[in-house]
Amino acid sequence: MSGRLTITVNDILKAKNRIHSCVHTTPVFTSSTFDESYGRKFYFKAENLQKTGSFKARGALNAVTLLKEGESPPKGVVTHSSGNHGQALAWAARMRGLQCAVVAPNNSPNVKLDAIREYGADIVICDPTPTSRQETCDRIGRERGFHFVPPYDHPDVIAGQGTLGAEFLEQIPELDAILVPTSGGGMVSGIAIAAKALKPDLKVFIVEPNGKDVEKCLRAGERLWPNPPRFLETIADGIRLQQLGHVTWPIIRELVQKDVFSVTDDEIMKGMRFAFERMKLVVEAASGAGIAAAMSERLRQMDAGLRHVGVILCGGNTDIDRLPWYPTPAHS
């Protein structure tokens, strides 16, 4: 499927109207300290303050609403998720009166699993591999008659995530670039479609954990990742999938910059700590990756014309008893 041909900015604007009454218009934060330290004007889009604690609420609610309003709405939905999409889908299903099951790997953070349960979904644990996640999800779908809503690789999910880009540009129209932490690519695809339609000169950059190798694939113009798909070793559990999706890949290849920001766990922790200590914002490690990219020497060396840079704080679902800079859980 060619994602670029099936999703347009009109789909995103329709999604924005469809979900706006149920999701937050999240605030944008600035830090003069950060700007002075890193030499540009930065704008931090706080999706950590979104419903369910991440941007995923946007895509999940758009997809579930369209299912519910369809000719033959299912009795439930199912997905696989390490946490944020699972929470978002469970919340969206409850909002629209559908059942929900979430297939989660056995190493998912407890704080995210607890939240999924609190939103009313059933959790089915699987092995921590992309193949096991999908096979378990397919089985649950067959057994219960639930409709599969992918975490990222679906036009309705991508359109919902794209509302983030449209909203960000309404708030900060002078943006020259946006840094987007990326796993399967649903958020960066949606943002890129919105941004390129509304402001064609705006540059969208992927932020990844080391080992994802998106830049190599973008420069070659083809998928170079080994199969089967695998997860990367990183503290940023929200962006640990190595491969981009098959629907998101052609969109990203066409619309996203080939320069990619790869960050280490130490850099991610530094970004997280800045958000906690100086901005007073609770963010998860994937958000810390975006801040790390804003701090990077690579950005400092880029075109000085990129004066106004957006950073997506994609989520805030972190276990405060297991913050990554502590070797063991905190005890009172």
Side-chain angles (χ1 to χ4, degrees):
M1 181 188 296
S2 174
R4 184 67 185 112
L5 296 178
T6 59
I7 310 158
T8 69
V9 69
N10 287 332
D11 296 316
I12 291 170
L13 296 178
K14 288 178 182 177
K16 192 169 182 288
N17 290 331
R18 188 176 295 122
I19 69 175
H20 81 277
S21 63
C22 297
V23 299
H24 295 312
T25 299
T26 52
V28 176
F29 291 92
T30 58
S31 168
S32 57
T33 299
F34 196 94
D35 295 347
E36 291 166 5
S37 297
Y38 299 104
R40 300 175 196 263
K41 183 68 176 177
F42 291 92
Y43 305 86
F44 299 90
K45 179 67 166 153
E47 286 292 293
N48 58 310
L49 302 179
Q50 184 55 266
K51 294 285 189 177
T52 75
S54 85
F55 75 96
K56 292 284 191 176
R58 297 172 182 267
L61 186 60
N62 188 53
V64 169
T65 300
L66 287 169
L67 281 173
K68 183 69 174 181
E69 295 174 350
E71 292 184 1
S72 300
K75 65 179 181 180
V77 289
V78 61
T79 196
H80 54 81
S81 170
S82 62
N84 284 347
H85 178 64
Q87 290 179 64
L89 191 67
W91 167 78
R94 188 174 72 177
M95 291 285 291
R96 297 297 182 242
L98 297 177
Q99 299 176 49
C100 181
V102 176
V103 174
N106 57 23
N107 58 356
S108 299
N110 285 332
V111 65
K112 296 185 178 183
L113 297 182
D114 290 344
I116 291 170
R117 293 187 184 96
E118 288 171 6
Y119 288 122
D122 295 332
I123 294 178
V124 180
I125 299 298
C126 68
D127 291 332
T129 67
T131 300
S132 177
R133 283 165 60 145
Q134 189 62 58
E135 289 176 349
T136 308
C137 208
D138 292 343
R139 175 175 60 81
I140 296 297
R142 290 193 304 270
E143 292 175 353
R144 303 191 192 183
F146 285 8
H147 186 93
F148 176 51
V149 180
Y152 50 86
D153 231 10
H154 190 281
D156 296 339
V157 173
I158 294 168
Q161 317 305 24
T163 65
L164 172 52
E167 183 178 293
F168 204 176
L169 276 169
E170 285 179 358
Q171 294 168 309
I172 313 293
E174 61 267 35
L175 284 175
D176 299 309
I178 305 178
L179 304 175
V180 188
T182 300
S183 183
M187 175 170 56
V188 73
S189 296
I191 288 175
I193 292 168
K196 290 298 185 179
L198 299 173
K199 189 174 183 180
D201 291 339
L202 190 148
K203 300 183 186 303
V204 178
F205 293 95
I206 280 176
V207 181
E208 64 174 18
N210 275 356
K212 192 173 179 71
D213 294 332
V214 172
E215 183 165 330
K216 181 171 68 174
C217 296
L218 285 175
R219 294 197 181 281
E222 59 181 308
R223 303 176 65 90
L224 300 176
W225 297 287
N227 284 307
R230 69 184 184 95
F231 291 120
L232 302 170
E233 290 294 328
T234 172
I235 62 171
D237 64 276
I239 54 171
R240 63 186 174 186
L241 181 65
Q242 185 182 39
Q243 294 193 17
L244 297 174
H246 289 276
V247 178
T248 61
W249 164 249
I251 303 170
I252 291 167
R253 182 179 58 194
E254 181 177 344
L255 299 180
V256 174
Q257 299 303 120
K258 291 182 171 56
D259 296 303
V260 173
F261 292 85
S262 294
V263 292
T264 66
D265 280 357
D266 285 344
E267 291 166 336
I268 289 170
M269 281 190 279
K270 183 180 177 182
M272 285 184 73
R273 290 188 71 125
F274 184 89
F276 273 66
E277 294 173 355
R278 304 306 296 269
M279 300 180 73
K280 315 307 177 188
L281 292 172
V282 175
V283 300
E284 61 188 83
S287 296
I291 302 171
M295 294 173 161
S296 69
E297 184 63 25
R298 183 168 198 177
L299 182 61
R300 190 184 293 268
Q301 293 174 353
M302 281 186 175
D303 180 7
L306 301 179
R307 294 175 296 170
H308 300 277
V309 179
V311 182
I312 306 296
L313 303 182
C314 51
N317 294 314
T318 191
D319 187 344
I320 60 173
D321 288 329
R322 296 178 182 273
L323 293 172
W325 45 86
Y326 294 127
T328 57
H331 297 284
S332 58

